[in-house]
Amino acid sequence: MASVWSGMDMPDLDLKRYERQTRLSGWGVETQQRLKGSRVFVAGAGGLGCPAALNLALAGVGHIRVCDFDTVEISNLNRQFLYTEQSIGTNKAKSAQEALFSLNPEIDVEPVSDEITAHNVDDLVADAEVVIDCLDNFRTRHVLNLCAVTKGIPMVHGAIWGLEGRVIFLHPPSTPCLACIFPKTPPQEKSPAVGAVSCAIGSVQALETIKYLTGVGSVSTGRMLLLDFSTMKFQELEVTEDPRCPVCGQLGTGTE
Ligand SMILES: [Zn+2]
């Protein structure tokens, strides 16, 4: 059987690396090239950000900006697999960039060691086509949500609590935004965290992003995926836009 890149001359992309995924129906070489030109902002390089960024890098997303101001601690190492004991004390975004470069040097991973705030978020996200919410607090999540809604780009929200996790693809006005679903900012708490759970949720966030960028498959619009790994019961929760939402409520009204 002829490989999908037979006769293709694309010196800037090592297509052998991506052979198995380009065999997927609808993916192909052109889609792989599109992925190489894609820009994704990964907010947070912790338990969710490590698998999210890793899977983007492995798939060949060409420009990944990883943002985390935190430093690696030994208590991160049960789940944040881009880091080793040698990474302790170093900035997570920079250490993640080094790990991702060793896995796929063909892509551009840009580390950002700033804390995301209302003042810098627009510049940090810049011209990204998707933002992935791998954060651990709702205060910053709401800052990122407002930025994504304003720019008109999707945000892939993920979160874990112990053996449970959730994922949702948010892209108003065709879906709710984060503020429609979680209007309040709950107090910050340190959740119990198991590596296999955050790894699964972060990987699904990356997959939703890749599907959006490639057009392969369909993203989970209007449905929040709830995964309870303690019982292996997975559910979908239907979510709807709040027309009074202060963030996205004016979108889709046809007044512009
Ligand atoms: Zn909203």
Side-chain angles (χ1 to χ4, degrees):
M1 185 176 148
S3 70
V4 292
W5 56 83
S6 295
M8 302 295 291
D9 179 21
M10 295 189 177
D12 61 328
L13 190 63
D14 182 358
L15 290 167
K16 280 190 184 166
R17 178 185 291 270
Y18 308 110
E19 177 187 5
R20 295 291 290 273
Q21 65 198 43
T22 51
R23 286 173 186 267
L24 262 173
S25 175
W27 195 305
V29 173
E30 279 183 21
T31 300
Q32 192 60 49
Q33 289 283 20
R34 195 183 322 143
L35 217 44
K36 183 161 193 199
S38 297
R39 298 178 176 276
V40 177
F41 183 81
V42 180
L48 298 171
C50 283
L54 172 83
N55 281 292
L56 298 180
L58 295 181
V61 171
H63 306 276
I64 305 167
R65 185 175 278 190
V66 179
C67 184
D68 203 312
F69 72 98
D70 218 350
T71 53
V72 179
E73 298 175 22
I74 194 162
S75 61
N76 303 142
L77 299 186
N78 78 320
R79 63 199 184 282
Q80 299 179 20
F81 54 76
L82 293 178
Y83 315 125
T84 66
E85 290 210 359
Q86 284 69 47
S87 315
I88 291 170
T90 63
N91 172 256
K92 287 186 181 179
K94 289 192 175 125
S95 290
Q97 189 262 341
E98 286 166 18
L100 296 170
F101 179 79
S102 68
L103 288 162
N104 189 353
E106 293 181 359
I107 59 161
D108 168 29
V109 179
E110 185 185 354
V112 178
S113 56
D114 295 339
E115 184 172 14
I116 297 170
T117 68
H119 300 293
N120 66 10
V121 66
D122 286 346
D123 290 337
L124 294 182
V125 173
D127 58 352
E129 294 158 78
V130 185
V131 299
I132 309 186
D133 164 16
C134 300
L135 296 164
D136 60 359
N137 71 88
F138 266 85
R139 183 177 51 79
T140 316
R141 281 185 162 121
H142 281 302
V143 169
L144 193 67
N145 177 59
L146 175 59
C147 171
V149 171
T150 306
K151 287 179 185 276
I153 57 174
M155 177 167 108
V156 187
H157 165 73
I160 62 152
W161 189 278
L163 297 180
E164 298 174 23
R166 64 171 181 261
V167 179
I168 185 166
F169 183 93
L170 304 163
H171 195 192
S174 54
T175 78
C177 80
L178 192 75
C180 295
I181 305 168
F182 303 103
K184 299 248 165 61
T185 298
Q188 190 171 352
E189 292 178 70
K190 227 173 202 161
S191 83
V194 176
V197 175
S198 53
C199 193
I201 299 298
S203 296
V204 173
Q205 288 179 276
L207 184 58
E208 290 291 272
T209 304
I210 291 165
K211 288 192 299 179
Y212 172 76
L213 293 171
T214 60
V216 173
S218 55
V219 294
S220 60
T221 50
R223 293 171 292 134
M224 183 148 63
L225 187 59
L226 304 170
L227 303 102
D228 182 350
F229 292 101
S230 70
T231 58
M232 292 308 282
K233 285 184 180 160
F234 301 167
Q235 301 175 60
E236 283 182 352
L237 185 68
E238 198 175 319
V239 288
T240 53
E241 301 90 291
D242 177 358
R244 292 161 303 167
C245 173
V247 178
C248 74
Q250 296 304 309
L251 298 175
T253 56
T255 52
E256 69 268 43

